[in-house]
Amino acid sequence: MSDLDDIRDILGFEPYRGAPIDWEAASQALGARIPSDFRELINATGAGKIGYDTLLLQPFAINTNYDQIRRHHEWIRDLEIIWEEEKDFDPEDQTKPLIFNEPDIRPILWGASGLGFNLYWVARNDTDPSTWQIAVEPARGGQWEFHPGTATNLLLRLLRGEAASLYLRSLCTAEQHFFTPDM
């Protein structure tokens, strides 16, 4: 069974019946290829919410709360402003993870939460997107978390309680094991 099949078994979501997603246009809008596991996940679920709070974003979603492209550009703009303002701070007071100072590496948003965290790929130019790690940003301060593996693999490990995360730990509880599609 694939990670997507296991996620489907845990969350019990119905197949997505919305309009097909233009993944090529989405990749162009984000400036990078979108990992295939995420394309498969969103093709299966559409935009929606895991449990009470974790949002899966979809490129060009009609509901702007779930529009990956719009939210990505907003958050990246906000991060750039914050990181620019922090340049003169002592290094221990800066919130920008050092990895994003490396050339050709940047965050690309794919999930979010009202609890104050965002899920990103750590995108590396000219590398296979399936090799990107996942970053979790605590939007209200705190240390970023970094996780190996794909988006679907991380979600599955979180749902099973197999991945340690300060910000996403509630996903392992059975009461969070449902999916609400964005309608």
Side-chain angles (χ1 to χ4, degrees):
M1 258 212 290
S2 70
D3 289 346
L4 178 57
D5 292 330
D6 289 344
I7 291 170
R8 181 182 290 114
D9 287 348
I10 293 169
L11 298 179
F13 58 81
E14 295 295 321
Y16 173 64
R17 299 188 196 293
I21 298 158
D22 185 342
W23 290 107
E24 187 60 36
S27 292
Q28 289 178 6
L30 294 172
R33 290 180 319 183
I34 296 172
S36 61
D37 75 295
F38 186 77
R39 292 191 314 260
E40 291 170 11
L41 176 63
I42 298 303
N43 284 337
T45 64
K49 188 168 26 175
I50 297 174
Y52 297 108
D53 195 65
T54 304
L55 305 181
L56 287 181
L57 305 179
Q58 173 184 318
F60 313 114
I62 294 170
N63 179 341
T64 57
N65 290 327
Y66 290 92
D67 181 2
Q68 179 188 20
I69 307 302
R70 182 190 68 81
R71 290 191 64 163
H72 167 77
H73 289 295
E74 287 175 356
W75 275 105
I76 295 304
R77 182 185 63 240
D78 291 349
L79 285 175
E80 288 171 349
I81 290 168
I82 292 166
W83 292 344
E84 182 62 32
E85 290 174 354
E86 292 177 346
K87 276 188 173 180
D88 295 328
F89 291 10
D90 290 332
E92 65 270 9
D93 295 326
Q94 296 177 10
T95 60
K96 183 178 185 180
L98 293 176
I99 195 166
F100 296 125
N101 289 328
E102 295 179 29
D104 300 325
I105 297 180
R106 62 196 174 90
I108 297 178
L109 185 72
W110 62 268
S113 167
L115 293 176
F117 62 80
N118 294 302
L119 295 151
Y120 297 91
W121 293 294
V122 179
R124 297 173 182 269
N125 290 353
D126 301 321
T127 62
D128 180 350
S130 69
T131 66
W132 297 344
Q133 66 180 321
I134 304 298
V136 182
E137 174 223 0
R140 296 184 179 118
Q143 295 294 316
W144 286 56
E145 291 180 351
F146 293 88
H147 298 272
T150 64
T152 54
N153 182 260
L154 176 61
L155 287 172
L156 179 59
R157 289 184 291 122
L158 288 164
L159 291 166
R160 288 179 172 166
E162 297 170 353
S165 173
L166 179 62
Y167 310 112
L168 302 166
R169 65 179 174 246
S170 67
L171 288 177
C172 73
T173 62
E175 65 187 26
Q176 294 277 347
H177 291 178
F178 62 93
F179 183 79
T180 306
D182 173 45
M183 297 287 182

